[in-house]
Amino acid sequence: RSGRSLILAGFTLGLAVAIKPIMLIVAPILWILTFKRYPWWQLPAIATSTFLATAIPFVRTAWDAPAFLFSRALAQASQYPHTTINAWNIWSLNAPATWPPDDQIVLGLSAHSAGLIMFGVFTLVTLWRWSRLRFTPRASFRVMGTILIAFFMFTTRMHERHLLFGLPFLALAAVWDRFLLAPTLVLTTTFCLNLFSAYYWVNHEQTWPFTSTVTSLVSWVNTIIALGLVFIW
């Protein structure tokens, strides 16, 4: 029974990464949860095989699958070189009117590099906090939710919809840690407002339903909550 669970977990992870590569970010957390009970290579092997298999209908031979998937992932990552694409995160604290390029300099670095560094630091802090809890599975939902929310909040090239990936994990974490219910509800509300704003913008000749003050205020709320999830345990 446990073996079937591992196969299902690996299959689901590989399929999730194929559908949305952002899910690769939480793969190390799932690996940490499984490698103490199973050989360390099993989950990565199952997930990688599933991931590669999804490319088979689109390539001539199975050997072309890795190159095809890598090229698609690279194309997606390079498609929108802007600090924010309608996402209310740290890059919209001053409510930019258009999509600013993410090669602008921030403290001597490009905004793109600065965002990746911030995300890397906050991820390491989150994993360190988890290690203090002896990598308990109960806290893994919060860890995955926090990392995905930090990815949305601090890296560049984010769409408004990308906050959605962290919310289900945070909601599951709130089952055990009830104090997480408040940030979950607030982020869900701001996510819906952000989603509506982008939808309105697309359908009303690129005009916004909210003032720049509202956009800035909500971005501050989102940023503060994300930092709280990282540092307040």
Side-chain angles (χ1 to χ4, degrees), residues 2 17-18 61-62 90 104 111-112 119 127 130 134 153 173 180 183 186 204 217 232:
S2 60
V17 173
T61 67
I90 194 172
Q104 59 183 289
H112 182 61
F119 169 68
L127 293 175
W130 190 28
R134 300 182 183 276
M153 288 304 306
L180 291 174
V186 174
H204 292 81
L217 177 62
I232 301 174

Side-chain angles (χ1 to χ4, degrees), residues 39-90:
W40 66 269
W41 55 269
Q42 286 190 354
L43 181 70
I46 296 170
T48 302
S49 299
T50 303
F51 174 68
L52 293 176
T54 62
I56 291 178
F58 309 101
V59 295
R60 292 183 178 180
T61 67
W63 301 109
D64 296 329
F68 171 79
L69 290 170
F70 178 78
S71 65
R72 295 309 307 155
L74 187 63
Q76 288 187 23
S78 306
Q79 191 171 6
Y80 295 99
H82 307 282
T83 55
T84 173
I85 304 106
N86 301 339
W88 292 351
N89 55 19
I90 194 172

Side-chain angles (χ1 to χ4, degrees), residues 93 153-154 217-230 232:
L93 294 180
M153 288 304 306
F154 300 106
L217 177 62
V218 175
S219 299
W220 275 105
V221 170
N222 287 345
T223 302
I224 291 171
I225 290 177
L227 291 173
L229 290 172
V230 172
I232 301 174

Side-chain angles (χ1 to χ4, degrees), residues 6 9-11 13 27 30-32 34 39-48:
L6 179 67
F11 173 79
L13 175 60
L30 299 176
W31 179 74
I32 290 173
T34 60
W40 66 269
W41 55 269
Q42 286 190 354
L43 181 70
I46 296 170
T48 302

Side-chain angles (χ1 to χ4, degrees), residues 2-37:
S2 60
R4 289 198 298 269
S5 298
L6 179 67
I7 293 173
L8 179 61
F11 173 79
T12 305
L13 175 60
L15 194 61
V17 173
I19 295 172
K20 202 64 179 177
I22 190 176
M23 296 309 296
L24 186 63
I25 294 172
V26 298
I29 290 88
L30 299 176
W31 179 74
I32 290 173
L33 291 173
T34 60
F35 86 98
K36 290 184 178 180
R37 295 183 57 189

Side-chain angles (χ1 to χ4, degrees), residues 65-156:
F68 171 79
L69 290 170
F70 178 78
S71 65
R72 295 309 307 155
L74 187 63
Q76 288 187 23
S78 306
Q79 191 171 6
Y80 295 99
H82 307 282
T83 55
T84 173
I85 304 106
N86 301 339
W88 292 351
N89 55 19
I90 194 172
W91 301 106
S92 60
L93 294 180
N94 62 345
T98 57
W99 298 352
D102 66 355
D103 59 354
Q104 59 183 289
I105 302 302
V106 178
L107 299 177
L109 298 170
S110 69
H112 182 61
S113 298
L116 291 174
I117 291 173
M118 285 190 291
F119 169 68
V121 170
F122 296 145
T123 296
L124 290 176
V125 171
T126 302
L127 293 175
W128 174 74
R129 292 284 190 176
W130 190 28
S131 71
R132 296 289 298 272
L133 299 176
R134 300 182 183 276
F135 297 110
T136 173
R138 195 186 79 171
S140 63
F141 294 108
R142 176 179 177 175
V143 171
M144 288 188 283
T146 299
I147 290 174
L148 287 168
I149 289 169
F151 187 70
F152 168 82
M153 288 304 306
F154 300 106
T155 64
T156 62

